[in-house]
Amino acid sequence: MLEFFTQYPIAGAVIALGSLSLVFGAILGFAAIRFKVEGDPVVEQLDALLPQTQCGQCGYPGCRPYAQAIANGDAINKCPPGGQATINAIADLLDVEAPTLDAEHGEESEVKKVAYIREDECIGCTKCIQACPVDAILGAAKQMHTVIIDECTGCDLCVEPCPVDCIDMVPVAATVEHWKWDTPAASGAPAMELIATDKDPAPDTKPPSQSDRGEAA
Amino acid sequence: MRKTWDIPGGVHPPENKSQSLQQPLGEVGLPAELVLPLNQHIGAAAEPVVAVGDHVLAGQQIAAAIGLVSAPVHASTSGHIVAIEERPIPHPSGMQDLCIVLRPDGKDRWIELEPCENYTQLSHAALLEKIRAAGIAGMGGAGFPTAVKLNPRANYDIDTLIINGTECEPYITADDILMQTSPAEVIAGTRLLAYLLNQPKQVLIGIEDNKPDAIAALERAVAELNDDDCRIEICTFPTKYPSGGEKQLIQILTGREVPSGELPAAVGVISQNVGTAVAAWRAVRYGEPLLSRITTVVGTALATQRNVRVRLGTPIEHVLTQHGFDPQRCPRLVMGGPMMGFTLPSAQVPVIKTTNCILAPSREELPPPPPAQACIRCGLCAEACPASLLPQQLYWYARAEDYERLTAHSLTDCIECGACAYVCPSNIPLVQYYRAAKGTIRQMEIEKEKSDRSRQRFEFRKERVARAEAEKEAKREARKKAAAVAKKKLAAAQAGAQQDSRPSGKQQSGAQPHEGLAGDRQTGAQPDMVAAAMARVQEKQLAPQQQREKLQRAIASAESRLQKAQQRHVEASAEHQGKMQARVREAEVRLADARQKLAALDTATPAPAENADPVAAAIARAQAKMALSPTEKLQGNLTSLQKRLATAREKLAAAEAEGSDTAAALATGVAKLEEKIATVQTELNAAPAQVPGPAAATKTAATDAAAVAIEKAKTRAAAQADMSAEEKLQKQLDSLQHRLQKARLRLEQAEADNDAHIDALRSGVEKLEAKLAQTRAQLEDTASP
């Protein structure tokens, strides 16, 4: 065997390489089957970025179908509930230029809204229940319905079917629990890129705060 | 002296603690109104258990804790509940929240308290319940419910209790004064907490070395106690901001670092503020809920700066007015210290469980932050950070809203101490950025969670709708099948028995048409009609014979049914009379109908049969004739001729016997017939010789030859059509030459044989020659241009 290889080095090399390729081919083949990724991972990622309001404003019956459509090459700027943030995130994921929101599909709402049923006017027709994509409306035929606010995505789909127009989209009240600090730029702080000579000296202020504090100490 | 460790970073801002320590601990009188927010702690807000108009006593619970991480709220004094409404609360958002408003009656009457002389007799659970019921929440500033913190998960092995008397933030001296004025209570509270934590190995009270009086007082108290069960160590360490942070203090006293995202219990440490320890002690010893706290009231905008014991819910305005507050000099009110405190939206907000300091600085004392400038990347912030983070990087990422990177750079470990912003030479409000980014990340997490839930619900709904649809479809399918089967059955039954209900109305006389109709309706008018139509079609398709049989069968069954119906009609009770009658009538109608039909069929069928027969017979005969071979035909002819001959001879014989004058004519006829027979016979004889096979063969050969010729002509025509004019002429020329040659040959032969046709042949050859010449000229004409 060894003799054969020393005698015919080229043949030996060919055999060695051939057997190596066979071994690696087998490993790769096994890995391809064993670690096969089910479904399209891009669709999953896109779906995770979409706001899951299931409102259908994009023209697809829900967020996942739209994710599928994006994966198939549809425009990424059709999601008003997600707004520019979602468009940017999707553009980031797909490594494309982020377009602005397509106004044809609606405008980005500044405040989050939820549906609210004026309960004394509700006639119990269950039409809104059938329209709700996330089962956030509770009720039965000829019984008053109500919205589970925590589950409502604010998709608007229940407003139109209501025969007595007793559903309003009300902005979600800001609560102390959900409050967050504003970023300094947003809270009206002076522009950042000042240089020292630009400083507008405050009326009766002695220079920096540190020395001031030192004095107070 | 115990070994202490150092924390990274930290700053040394001016302490400003002496102002408030000049005077002893004071008291604040009853305000006109106490405002008690329902959420003074971390966790779920408490729920009111009193109604507007109720009279409450001091220490009475007015709002109950909801859930585990929550704390109840108690009335700070006796009085009436005047409102439960939204009021501004001390919160950086400046928002309003639900508060219980209490109007004191001035008597300050208390509820019956349940003192406990010896808490060691009580179980841990009972003690924790007491602490919980007292509404005690971390008084250092965070406000985490104490009972929850004192009940760590069983998998944490707690070996160290740290009582936090550090109070590192400038200005604040509330804990300092507490330790100075009631060291015994601090020690007692510490022992209680140690007892609750099953006497951990180390019980440490950490105090910065800038509070010598407090340290001395506590050391005295510990020495007095002289307790071997619980060794309390007073640990002092150099002053540095922010040593008082929970994680920082743990690191200073034990050298252990709390892992990112973990609780101190993960490294075996529980820490509590001194104020909390005292409150817990009082809750257990005297049964006293948390109704007041010590707050530092400080700032140059005040005439008096001191520490006061103030009832929870007291409006800050009330506290300030008692300290000579000058609103003109104070541009903003701060709750908490200058480093971590926040500006209050108004002076109307109340003092709550976490209010350790009310800072009313003048403009000179705490000027508004100067405008921020560009980051010069000096790195001072990184040096100052006690959590060893990279504030500069965090700043860039926060500005770029790169939340992923912020998380990767451990933004969550930022304790928002403000040391980085304090050292920043460009006055960048770094902590603001971090707070905002943290809030956004938290919000995104909440939204993510919600959207995940929405997705789940949506998917579930889709599945459910699909399932319902499939079920409906299956049902529809089943119903369709059942209907088809029923229809088939009905059709069969009706074809058998009912046949057609059309004439029923006319037939069954005007007598009871309504009942008949009713009967129809009973069986279902719709299927009846369909079935009738089908039956009609089937009827037409059926052969008359079958139809007749069917009708007969139908009559039989109808008769039997009629009988049955009549029988039942007789038997039926009065109430069913109408129905039965209808049925009888229906049966009668059917029977009559069937009978009539049968009659119609009987009369109708024979006629067409007779009409059709001769024609059909003739056709059959003709076909038979055509099928005969020539010989057979001849044979047939012969036999018929012979028959005719026989009859003719008979007639002739009769005529001769009568001596009629037609005899001669008959005789010629017979002769003619005989002649004809003879010719037919010869023909017949000749026919067998001409064997049918060869005859047919020749015939087919002839037709074949013709077909071939036709074929050839056709192909030639097709070929010619394809050819150009020149080619056509050429072809014609060739064929003419060929024919000429043949004709000449024949002429020669004829001349040799001296044939009669010699002249004709010669003229034919001449004609061909002429035609050839003509074609040649034509060809030349077409070729030349």
Side-chain angles (χ1 to χ4, degrees):
Chain A
M1 186 72 174
L2 204 69
E3 217 168 279
F4 172 80
F5 282 129
T6 46
Q7 227 165 358
Y8 307 101
I10 299 205
V14 166
I15 289 166
L17 287 173
S19 47
L20 272 178
S21 59
L22 278 177
V23 168
F24 284 121
I27 291 169
L28 286 173
F30 171 74
I33 293 161
R34 176 71 181 77
F35 304 109
K36 190 169 193 241
V37 178
E38 288 295 334
D40 192 349
V42 178
V43 175
E44 295 293 332
Q45 288 172 35
L46 286 168
D47 194 31
L49 290 177
L50 292 171
Q52 303 301 324
T53 48
Q54 319 293 357
C55 62
Q57 287 183 67
C58 52
Y60 295 94
C63 291
R64 205 188 161 78
Y66 182 44
Q68 186 72 56
I70 291 175
N72 292 339
D74 200 353
I76 63 171
N77 59 348
K78 293 184 174 178
C79 182
Q84 197 61 43
T86 298
I87 292 170
N88 291 346
I90 294 173
D92 217 31
L93 175 71
L94 300 179
D95 201 16
V96 294
E97 200 99 334
T100 51
L101 185 67
D102 190 348
E104 191 188 311
H105 294 275
E107 279 168 19
E108 186 177 355
S109 145
E110 304 215 331
V111 280
K112 205 176 140 6
K113 288 182 172 177
V114 288
Y116 172 76
I117 295 176
R118 291 197 299 278
E119 290 167 359
D120 4 320
E121 288 170 45
C122 175
I123 56 167
C125 69
T126 75
K127 282 198 171 113
C128 54
I129 294 178
Q130 287 156 35
C132 181
V134 291
D135 285 336
I137 301 179
L138 208 63
K142 305 212 170 149
Q143 306 290 320
M144 176 267 286
H145 305 337
T146 196
V147 176
I148 308 169
I149 299 231
D150 283 350
E151 304 296 351
C152 179
T153 62
C155 70
D156 231 24
L157 293 178
C158 54
V159 175
E160 202 264 318
C162 182
V164 291
D165 279 335
C166 73
I167 305 180
D168 296 320
M169 295 307 290
V170 294
V172 182
T175 58
V176 175
E177 285 88 63
H178 295 120
W179 174 86
K180 70 176 194 68
W181 290 88
D182 283 334
T183 45
S187 58
M192 281 301 299
E193 313 305 344
L194 281 178
I195 54 169
T197 48
D198 287 344
K199 260 195 202 177
D200 184 21
D204 46 35
T205 318
K206 282 168 274 173
S209 57
Q210 270 142 293
S211 62
D212 193 37
R213 279 178 189 143
E215 252 177 39
Chain B
M1 195 65 195
R2 192 188 160 80
K3 180 187 189 278
T4 56
W5 283 260
D6 193 16
I7 52 163
V11 290
H12 295 277
E15 284 170 18
N16 285 315
K17 290 197 187 248
S18 54
Q19 303 97 309
S20 54
L21 287 172
Q22 302 305 316
Q23 294 195 23
L25 183 63
E27 290 276 340
V28 173
L30 275 175
E33 220 171 42
L34 286 167
V35 180
L36 292 151
L38 293 175
N39 195 356
Q40 305 182 26
H41 51 267
I42 287 176
E47 202 174 72
V49 292
V50 290
V52 176
D54 285 4
H55 183 265
V56 292
L57 297 173
Q60 184 179 335
Q61 183 179 284
I62 54 172
I66 299 297
L68 187 66
V69 185
S70 186
V73 179
H74 300 83
S76 311
T77 185
S78 59
H80 288 91
I81 307 293
V82 292
I84 300 174
E85 61 184 16
E86 299 235 318
R87 288 284 181 102
I89 55 161
H91 190 270
S93 65
M95 281 198 261
Q96 301 201 335
D97 205 358
L98 210 57
C99 301
I100 297 178
V101 184
L102 176 70
R103 180 164 300 145
D105 55 12
K107 293 171 190 154
D108 202 24
R109 281 187 294 141
W110 278 68
I111 50 160
E112 291 274 323
L113 297 179
E114 277 180 57
C116 172
E117 293 290 337
N118 188 359
Y119 59 79
T120 51
Q121 288 170 346
L122 289 173
S123 71
H124 285 192
L127 287 173
L128 284 175
E129 185 48 42
K130 270 179 180 284
I131 292 170
R132 183 176 157 79
I136 294 166
M139 294 170 78
F144 192 81
T146 304
V148 181
K149 207 171 175 182
L150 286 173
N151 194 15
R153 270 185 273 160
N155 55 345
Y156 293 136
D157 177 27
I158 306 300
D159 64 357
T160 306
L161 169 67
I162 293 176
I163 301 298
N164 189 346
T166 317
E167 206 164 47
C168 60
E169 182 134 358
Y171 287 101
I172 309 174
T173 54
D175 289 347
D176 193 357
I177 205 97
L178 176 70
M179 288 186 283
Q180 284 182 37
T181 52
S182 44
E185 283 196 328
V186 173
I187 299 300
T190 308
R191 289 179 65 202
L192 167 69
L193 299 185
Y195 170 74
L196 274 172
L197 294 169
N198 298 314
Q199 305 294 359
K201 274 182 228 150
Q202 318 177 75
V203 180
L204 313 172
I205 300 178
I207 310 171
E208 276 184 338
D209 59 6
N210 61 354
K211 302 175 190 66
D213 295 345
I215 294 165
L218 282 181
E219 272 174 348
R220 260 201 312 281
V222 171
E224 273 169 28
L225 197 69
N226 203 9
D227 185 356
D228 285 339
D229 288 352
C230 180
R231 294 184 172 280
I232 298 171
E233 267 186 88
I234 313 293
C235 306
T236 58
F237 47 88
T239 302
K240 179 159 94 173
Y241 179 84
S243 307
E246 191 176 46
K247 291 176 183 180
Q248 280 64 40
L249 183 61
I250 289 167
Q251 198 179 349
I252 288 167
L253 295 184
T254 66
R256 301 176 199 166
E257 233 177 307
V258 180
S260 173
E262 296 264 16
L263 293 172
V267 293
V269 179
I270 294 280
S271 77
Q272 291 285 0
N273 179 262
V274 283
T276 316
V278 170
W281 160 250
R282 292 192 72 87
V284 171
R285 173 66 186 82
Y286 306 111
E288 198 183 288
L290 184 59
L291 299 189
S292 65
R293 68 156 297 140
I294 295 173
T295 298
T296 308
V297 185
V298 71
T300 46
L302 298 165
T304 323
Q305 303 182 48
R306 57 169 182 172
N307 282 290
V308 287
R309 181 166 285 280
V310 55
R311 284 185 183 80
L312 299 180
T314 307
I316 282 171
E317 197 175 31
H318 178 74
V319 179
L320 291 175
T321 46
Q322 295 205 350
H323 290 81
F325 177 57
D326 178 7
Q328 300 303 312
R329 294 189 60 206
C330 179
R332 57 178 178 152
L333 275 171
V334 175
M335 183 179 278
M339 301 295 280
M340 292 185 74
F342 56 89
T343 305
L344 287 174
S346 80
Q348 306 300 319
V349 299
V351 170
I352 58 169
K353 291 173 184 174
T354 54
T355 310
N356 51 7
C357 178
I358 301 166
L359 183 55
S362 64
R363 193 171 280 109
E364 299 79 39
E365 197 177 11
L366 203 65
Q373 296 171 61
C375 172
I376 57 167
R377 295 164 176 82
C378 60
L380 285 177
C381 48
E383 280 171 28
C385 182
S388 304
L389 300 177
L390 296 168
Q392 213 186 92
Q393 290 304 103
L394 292 175
Y395 164 64
W396 293 121
Y397 294 140
R399 281 193 68 183
E401 296 176 2
D402 190 343
Y403 301 111
E404 231 166 88
R405 282 234 176 81
L406 280 171
T407 316
H409 279 72
S410 312
L411 177 68
T412 43
D413 288 343
C414 171
I415 58 165
E416 300 174 28
C417 65
C420 49
Y422 178 77
V423 297
C424 183
S426 292
N427 304 305
I428 299 168
L430 292 164
V431 191
Q432 293 290 329
Y433 282 103
Y434 307 151
R435 280 172 170 165
K438 272 182 169 179
T440 308
I441 289 172
R442 203 169 49 237
Q443 213 168 28
M444 278 163 64
E445 272 166 10
I446 291 169
E447 267 166 29
K448 181 91 187 60
E449 198 190 320
K450 197 181 167 185
S451 80
D452 280 347
R453 211 168 52 222
S454 298
R455 184 186 299 118
Q456 255 179 16
R457 290 176 78 91
F458 178 63
E459 303 274 318
F460 180 77
R461 181 177 190 272
K462 233 170 41 181
E463 204 176 288
R464 195 194 66 217
V465 167
R467 206 171 48 223
E469 201 58 45
E471 269 168 24
K472 234 189 249 171
E473 188 58 38
K475 263 188 201 164
R476 210 176 292 145
E477 208 62 29
R479 229 179 292 140
K480 212 194 246 172
K481 241 182 231 168
V485 169
K487 207 187 269 175
K488 225 183 254 172
K489 261 190 206 164
L490 196 65
Q494 288 194 337
Q498 199 171 323
Q499 282 299 345
D500 198 346
S501 52
R502 267 176 310 167
S504 67
K506 293 175 222 157
Q507 178 62 34
Q508 184 43 29
S509 68
Q512 281 93 15
H514 296 294
E515 269 102 339
L517 245 142
D520 267 352
R521 246 181 239 144
Q522 268 179 353
T523 51
Q526 195 64 24
D528 251 2
M529 276 162 68
V530 174
M534 282 172 81
R536 275 201 295 277
V537 171
Q538 277 178 339
E539 189 187 347
K540 267 180 208 160
Q541 283 169 349
L542 284 171
Q545 190 57 40
Q546 279 173 315
Q547 216 174 325
R548 190 175 301 159
E549 279 168 22
K550 228 182 200 173
L551 281 168
Q552 273 162 349
R553 255 185 282 138
I555 289 167
S557 74
E559 274 172 347
S560 70
R561 211 183 290 174
L562 183 59
Q563 269 179 358
K564 264 189 210 161
Q566 276 167 336
Q567 213 174 340
R568 244 185 268 162
H569 179 43
V570 173
E571 289 163 10
S573 58
E575 43 209 276
H576 290 128
Q577 205 84 348
K579 219 185 200 177
M580 294 317 291
Q581 231 161 10
R583 228 176 258 176
V584 169
R585 244 153 238 146
E586 193 190 344
E588 277 173 353
V589 165
R590 274 186 201 163
L591 179 58
D593 177 34
R595 267 196 192 137
Q596 194 199 24
K597 261 206 174 160
L598 185 56
L601 196 67
D602 279 341
T603 54
T605 43
E610 271 169 6
N611 288 343
D613 262 354
V615 180
I619 289 169
R621 256 174 276 145
Q623 275 176 338
K625 257 188 216 161
M626 269 154 72
L628 292 173
S629 70
T631 35
E632 278 166 332
K633 252 191 219 166
L634 286 172
Q635 199 85 48
N637 269 3
L638 192 58
T639 47
S640 74
L641 282 170
Q642 273 168 346
K643 254 189 211 164
R644 278 162 74 184
L645 183 60
T647 48
R649 270 195 189 140
E650 264 173 47
K651 274 181 188 167
L652 181 62
E656 272 175 338
E658 283 170 27
S660 166
D661 26 57
T662 53
L666 281 169
T668 53
V670 169
K672 262 185 194 167
L673 270 173
E674 272 172 346
E675 201 180 2
K676 221 177 195 178
I677 289 171
T679 53
V680 169
Q681 210 130 33
T682 50
E683 256 183 303
L684 190 58
N685 288 345
Q690 257 187 357
V691 195
T698 49
K699 207 178 176 187
T700 51
T703 49
D704 271 0
V708 168
I710 290 165
E711 235 10 74
K712 264 190 196 161
K714 268 186 193 163
T715 50
R716 217 179 294 142
Q720 276 183 351
D722 288 345
M723 281 186 277
S724 68
E726 202 176 332
E727 277 170 331
K728 263 188 212 165
L729 285 170
Q730 192 66 47
K731 258 258 163 90
Q732 251 175 338
L733 196 62
D734 284 354
S735 73
L736 278 171
Q737 273 174 338
H738 191 68
R739 275 162 72 187
L740 187 58
Q741 263 180 356
K742 262 192 185 169
R744 273 187 189 149
L745 266 176
R746 226 181 272 169
L747 183 60
E748 272 174 17
Q749 210 176 352
E751 277 175 338
D753 288 357
N754 210 0
D755 203 309
H757 305 299
I758 200 159
D759 285 336
L761 281 171
R762 205 167 279 158
S763 69
V765 168
E766 275 164 10
K767 261 185 200 165
L768 273 173
E769 272 171 347
K771 216 176 191 180
L772 190 60
Q774 198 187 343
T775 325
R776 265 212 192 112
Q778 251 178 13
L779 185 59
E780 271 161 17
D781 275 357
T782 50
S784 59

